[in-house]
Amino acid sequence: MGLVTLPKFNIRKVKSDFKDGFKKLSSDGFKNIFNGIDQLGIKQGVDRLGIDKFITQCALLAAGSGAVTGLGGITTLLIGVPVDFVNLVTQQFRVTMAIAYHQTGDYSINFEDLFKMVASSLKVDTGMSISKNVMEQVAEKLLLSVGTKTAERLVPLVGAAIGGTVNYLFIKRVATSLLPPTGNNKPKVAVRG
């Protein structure tokens, strides 16, 4: 039985490419993802399913891309990580918007207010306004949350379970950080009126 060899790739180049990609994400990518989300659709989803089931739906959608990324080992990991990351950010935005709607009754939110809530859920201090630096910090935190289990996704099939679980739990933690504790009616999210 022969020794299995993995394809060779330059880890420094991959790391550099990721950093460049995340800088691009922090400059325009977040706003592009935000602009692609149907806020009325989120309102209708929360009205139809309730907030808990809507959050679970978003977590399952995030889990799906995480699982696909880890399904085939290194091949699907290299191709799937950017798609998985965009989907994870999209689901995080959707959950944040859903919770804001659930707590305020207003489903229309602007990008700056949304991003402040997202930054807050990741424990990034935004101060008074959203700057490029804050967006880069959010991108880095997201990368760390996804990247900590990337090596485990290299093992085919096992990587799918790990990737799906990590993404699912990440979205659930985001929701928990934004929802008020049970019995407390005071919202954790603040949306400008």
Side-chain angles (χ1 to χ4, degrees):
M1 187 169 217
L3 186 63
V4 176
T5 58
L6 294 174
K8 293 182 182 182
F9 63 97
N10 182 337
I11 191 72
R12 286 192 176 130
K13 174 149 177 34
V14 170
K15 195 174 180 179
S16 172
D17 289 348
F18 274 130
K19 281 188 175 188
D20 290 344
F22 291 109
K23 282 185 180 182
K24 288 178 187 172
L25 177 66
S26 64
S27 63
D28 292 325
F30 286 132
K31 196 158 205 163
N32 289 339
I33 291 170
F34 170 79
N35 290 334
I37 295 174
D38 175 14
Q39 292 190 44
L40 179 59
I42 290 172
K43 174 201 178 302
Q44 292 168 337
V46 171
D47 289 346
R48 188 178 75 251
L49 298 172
I51 191 65
D52 292 332
K53 286 184 180 176
F54 188 86
I55 290 167
T56 298
Q57 179 187 58
C58 292
L60 289 170
L61 289 169
S65 67
V68 169
T69 299
L71 190 62
I74 195 164
T75 305
T76 55
L77 183 71
L78 292 175
I79 295 167
V81 165
V83 173
D84 180 39
F85 189 79
V86 168
N87 183 46
L88 191 64
V89 171
T90 301
Q91 298 315 317
Q92 180 182 17
F93 282 11
R94 292 180 73 233
V95 163
T96 304
M97 290 174 179
I99 292 170
Y101 164 66
H102 177 70
Q103 293 179 348
T104 66
D106 184 8
Y107 70 88
S108 181
I109 186 170
N110 68 44
F111 176 73
E112 189 167 299
D113 288 339
L114 170 76
F115 208 80
K116 283 182 181 179
M117 288 183 279
V118 167
S120 171
S121 75
L122 295 170
K123 311 277 190 277
V124 173
D125 184 21
T126 61
M128 295 302 288
S129 65
I130 301 299
S131 67
K132 183 176 179 181
N133 185 42
V134 169
M135 289 187 187
E136 287 176 1
Q137 288 178 37
V138 168
E140 285 177 27
K141 290 255 186 172
L142 287 168
L143 172 62
L144 285 174
S145 68
V146 172
T148 56
K149 297 290 183 184
T150 299
E152 288 90 345
R153 294 184 197 194
L154 290 172
V155 180
L157 300 178
V158 172
I162 292 169
T165 301
V166 167
N167 284 10
Y168 181 88
L169 293 175
F170 175 77
I171 295 299
K172 287 293 203 168
R173 277 193 306 270
V174 165
T176 301
S177 75
L178 292 171
L179 285 169
T182 306
N184 179 359
N185 291 330
K186 185 178 179 192
K188 282 190 176 180
V189 296
V191 178
R192 241 187 284 170

